[in-house]
Amino acid sequence: MPSYSELMAVVGFRSKNAAYKLVKRMMAEEWVEKDATGKLLPGRAFYDLPILGTVTAGFPSPAEEELADTMSLDEFLITNKPTVCLSFTPYCLM
């Protein structure tokens, strides 16, 4: 772990007091701890990793195989289908 001077350089602080306050806050959150000589060591929270979920082992399956059902946006966007027509123009008229 870095010393206060090294921490100042990495974080961009101009005083050791700012680095000390950062370390004090990190100690409160258990990111770092001090040994008997005052040297900074990684704390309990430094090694804890959040568990986001599980990953199934095996060969990956393509998305096409996982396709359960399809839907058309026309069902939701067009309420009166006989009155709708599609037209393409080569120029933008806006």
Side-chain angles (χ1 to χ4, degrees), residues 30-80:
E30 297 183 348
W31 282 99
V32 295
E33 57 188 33
K34 289 185 180 180
D35 65 0
T37 62
K39 185 177 178 182
L40 294 175
L41 301 172
R44 184 186 60 81
F46 189 84
Y47 297 108
D48 288 347
L49 297 175
I51 298 174
L52 300 177
T54 59
V55 176
T56 307
F59 293 104
S61 60
E64 294 85 26
E65 292 180 14
E66 298 295 325
L67 186 61
D69 195 11
T70 60
M71 64 180 257
S72 171
L73 291 179
D74 293 345
E75 297 174 25
F76 301 101
L77 299 176
I78 301 173
T79 56
N80 193 359

